[in-house]
Amino acid sequence: MPPHLLNSSTLSGFILYLRVWFPQGVKQQIDEFIAEEASWLPTGLLWDLLCPIGQLITSGAALQSLKEARAPDFMLPDQGGSAMKLLHLLEQGPVVMTFYRGAWCPYCHLALRAYQQALPQLQAGGVTLVAISPQSPNHSRALAEKLELTFAVYR
């Protein structure tokens, strides 16, 4: 659905359209999240929150993303305080990095849960998954425990 066709009268259709992009378990989580948010958020605000996701999907940005590009090396502490160098991870194989805003972000929770569900397939392909956030290591540790994440979360 092109972004110009998305309006408040097509919100339910848009939500259905959005869910087809996610695995079954994540679809249920999205349904539950939207139902909970819709119970107390004004429709206009819910629309404002969801519309950019649909625009991103329909833009084809994912198809244009850099693949096999090499990021500059950096070092970050993980949720346990241990330092990680990207170069060290890359020596072990491909790395998928996801960025999230923080423990307070419900959309980030959905995304991190989806990555956790995809982790076995990534690991089967020799891929290391890491999440990076600007929040403190204590908040990262608490979120990793709450969401039962088994991949590294860095600050």
Side-chain angles (χ1 to χ4, degrees):
M1 178 180 302
H4 68 277
L5 294 179
L6 299 175
N7 57 49
S8 58
S9 67
T10 61
L11 180 59
S12 60
F14 165 68
I15 292 168
L16 177 64
Y17 173 77
L18 175 64
R19 288 192 328 255
V20 301
W21 291 88
F22 294 96
Q24 188 60 38
V26 179
K27 289 178 190 177
Q28 180 180 347
Q29 292 173 18
I30 290 171
D31 287 344
E32 291 168 1
F33 174 78
I34 290 172
E36 180 183 332
E37 298 301 308
S39 71
W40 63 274
L41 279 178
T43 302
L45 180 56
L46 182 60
W47 173 254
D48 289 344
L49 294 172
L50 295 175
C51 189
I53 298 169
Q55 291 172 339
L56 184 61
I57 290 170
T58 59
S59 75
L63 299 174
Q64 299 170 22
S65 65
L66 294 176
K67 294 173 181 66
E68 299 184 29
R70 197 142 189 135
D73 192 27
F74 59 85
M75 186 172 12
L76 293 172
D78 68 9
Q79 69 267 25
S82 301
M84 173 279 299
K85 284 189 71 149
L86 177 61
L87 186 57
H88 174 71
L89 293 177
L90 288 170
E91 288 170 354
Q92 299 170 22
V95 176
V96 170
M97 288 185 289
T98 182
F99 298 88
Y100 70 99
R101 297 185 289 179
W104 55 268
C105 173
Y107 297 107
C108 301
H109 288 209
L110 285 173
L112 291 170
R113 286 183 185 129
Y115 277 110
Q116 182 62 45
Q117 288 179 338
L119 186 60
Q121 293 91 335
L122 292 169
Q123 290 173 329
V127 174
T128 299
L129 172 63
V130 298
I132 299 173
S133 173
Q135 67 184 1
S136 72
N138 287 340
H139 285 102
S140 293
R141 182 175 33 262
L143 180 64
E145 290 171 4
K146 177 181 177 181
L147 299 181
E148 300 178 358
L149 303 178
T150 59
F151 54 90
V153 179
Y154 296 101
R155 171 186 120 85

